[in-house]
Amino acid sequence: MTTPAWWEELIGVSAVLAEADRAEIRGWRGPAAQDGDDVPPLTVRLGTLGRVFAERSAGFTPDQTRELFRLLEEIQAAAGERYANAVATGFFEALLNAWDKGFDLRSVWPALGAHSRAYCRAWNGFTGVPTPDWMR
């Protein structure tokens, strides 16, 4: 999967996200890579962003957090099934995994849109994790 047109806007939300993506690409390509080499699969890149956001969310401004989740919601709602699935299985599964390990998902829950929330609740159901009242 090639890098979609919306990718730069997504990682442009924060220097933290942009650097995490650059590091993921460097790690994927290895030290002998040329500029034209492939990038990691989109789901992997989105998973990295989800993990990094969870680890460093305290350093994001409220505006950055809202913008990140607005863009993710827009992608899920309007960019097509392939990209919606990549966001869900990359970013949101990484975020939910971080929640299982102590990330305060409740603190950012208000910023999530309807598609994002629905996926999180569905993933909880699929994995057998009880969905707390604040997620409903």
Side-chain angles (χ1 to χ4, degrees), residues 89-102:
T89 60
F91 188 92
F92 283 104
E93 287 182 23
L95 198 66
L96 290 165
N97 185 49
W99 177 48
D100 290 342
K101 296 176 181 175

Side-chain angles (χ1 to χ4, degrees), residues 64-115:
Q64 287 173 317
T65 298
R66 282 189 297 273
E67 180 65 2
L68 173 64
F69 288 108
R70 183 195 67 76
L71 289 167
L72 292 167
E73 182 69 15
E74 185 177 293
I75 294 161
Q76 289 182 93
E81 185 176 356
R82 177 174 69 160
Y83 293 136
N85 288 339
V87 166
T89 60
F91 188 92
F92 283 104
E93 287 182 23
L95 198 66
L96 290 165
N97 185 49
W99 177 48
D100 290 342
K101 296 176 181 175
F103 168 66
D104 183 14
L105 180 59
R106 187 176 188 169
S107 69
V108 298
W109 189 254
L112 275 67
H115 288 87

